[in-house]
Amino acid sequence: MQGISKGHPHGASKKINYDENPFIVIWEVTRACQLKCVHCRADAQLRPDPRELTHEEGINLIDQIYEMDNPMLVFTGGDCMMREDLYELADYAIKKGMRVSMTPSATANVTKEKMKRFKDAGLSRWGFSLDGPTPEIHDHFRGTPGSFDLTVEKINYLNALQMPLQINTVISRYNYDSLEEMSKLVAELGAVMWYIFLLVPTGRGQMEACISPTEHEKVFRWLYDLSKKVPYDIKTTAAQHYRRVVLQQKSCEHLIERSEIHYEDSITTDFASMHDGLKRAPKGVNDGNGFAFVSHTGDVMPSGLLPIVGGNIRDTPLADIYRNAKVFKELREPYHYKGKCGICEYNKICGGSRSRAYAVTGDYLESEPFRVYIPKAMRGNETAVTIQ
């Protein structure tokens, strides 16, 4: 175990070699959770798994993450608050100089006293899931009556403590028609970041709950317009093609030249970082490419939504897995991508959701299945879909 020391977290302008180190590491500290979300990636359970990483193993993992150029660390679950030593783990990482945030479930486990304790320790940001603007939508999605009211109550606690709030929303068939109302609620609740997840049919998530490719495109264009007028940042997960839409829209508005397209141009604002210092990645992050996920038992995967194990930290150092495992190496080389993603001029900026490609086709290198864009190399063979 290393001694505790202050680090130097990634800055917004710092160039990171994703072949060597991730920008962000998500650690699923437990699978235990009291909710029964209909889309749950983890297929969470009521009690902790006895195979979970021990406290000592968790400290060792934090040390390993820190040594990979100190990426951002996020505690997730299940419900991370059901991990008894969560505060000690967070405190240890923060004292090393790491940027730490977490995404607990909004249950009775989250109290104002616990929030204050984590704030005093230096936690950067809390993320709460809110999947609809009404109890009917959110509670159905979370599988637990009263979850909406409890979530708003916990958010109000957070605001009273003046801690930066991130609201996470999974967009699916259940809430697609309520996004306008949802965007207003995010503002009313004082979020600094609205983190949008486009449903991936894995775990409890089902294909029939996913919105269509055309609806994905409509959501992205709506999000871009929304980003210019709301008092919070918008970020997407499992929706890498949002970057392409932002670049296209900025090009149409003559804000950037088509010949000078870079990922940095797709960043609309960085409002959230002014509040907690959690700056955006300096280039596009995708599954296994700037992103690593560690399960409750130590399995290392490109993403929690892409359940292909590259190795286990109980056997192999995290850095070795991230840098050398076959699945990680292939995901970081867009020329491996197949179909339209393989020849698309945006494949290094977008790349499509590798998790969704795997969930739908069984091949993580296949084309993003929920996209309408036709690459320039294929124009003439197909006609691009018009979004109205």
Side-chain angles (χ1 to χ4, degrees), residues 139-319:
D139 291 358
H140 170 74
F141 211 53
R142 293 287 153 180
T144 307
S147 178
F148 178 88
D149 291 338
L150 200 56
T151 301
V152 172
E153 175 187 288
K154 304 306 179 185
I155 287 174
N156 288 335
Y157 286 168
L158 204 65
N159 286 333
L161 291 169
Q162 297 184 323
M163 282 193 69
L165 165 68
Q166 172 179 306
I167 290 180
N168 304 327
T169 301
V170 178
I171 294 180
S172 69
R173 185 63 54 208
Y174 301 111
N175 58 8
Y176 175 71
D177 294 324
S178 305
L179 295 179
E180 195 70 50
E181 296 172 69
M182 188 64 208
S183 69
K184 295 176 183 177
L185 180 58
V186 172
E188 291 171 9
L189 292 174
V192 300
M193 173 76 77
W194 191 17
Y195 208 71
I196 300 291
F197 295 73
L198 272 294
L199 184 62
V200 173
T202 188
R204 294 183 197 146
Q206 298 299 314
M207 181 68 78
E208 58 266 24
C210 296
I211 61 176
S212 71
T214 300
E215 288 168 336
H216 274 72
E217 194 79 2
K218 288 182 177 179
V219 166
F220 296 150
R221 297 191 183 190
W222 173 76
L223 285 174
Y224 173 71
D225 290 337
L226 182 70
S227 71
K228 295 186 287 185
K229 56 188 179 184
V230 292
Y232 49 79
D233 283 345
I234 295 172
K235 196 171 185 298
T236 58
T237 286
Q240 284 77 4
H241 28 335
Y242 177 57
R243 301 172 195 154
R244 183 257 306 161
V245 169
V246 170
L247 291 171
Q248 287 178 309
Q249 296 299 99
K250 286 194 170 188
S251 178
C252 290
E253 296 169 6
H254 305 291
L255 298 176
I256 58 173
E257 297 295 330
R258 288 184 181 272
S259 60
E260 298 180 353
I261 290 178
H262 303 286
Y263 172 63
E264 289 86 347
D265 298 323
S266 72
I267 297 174
T268 50
T269 63
D270 203 1
F271 170 78
S273 73
M274 293 188 295
H275 292 262
D276 55 26
L278 297 183
K279 296 182 181 295
R280 292 173 181 263
K283 60 179 179 176
V285 170
N286 207 329
D287 302 330
N289 186 22
F291 190 106
F293 178 91
V294 182
S295 81
H296 64 298
T297 59
D299 284 336
V300 181
M301 295 172 275
S303 162
L305 299 169
L306 180 48
I308 296 180
V309 178
N312 190 288
I313 64 161
R314 284 172 165 152
D315 306 315
T316 309
L318 177 64

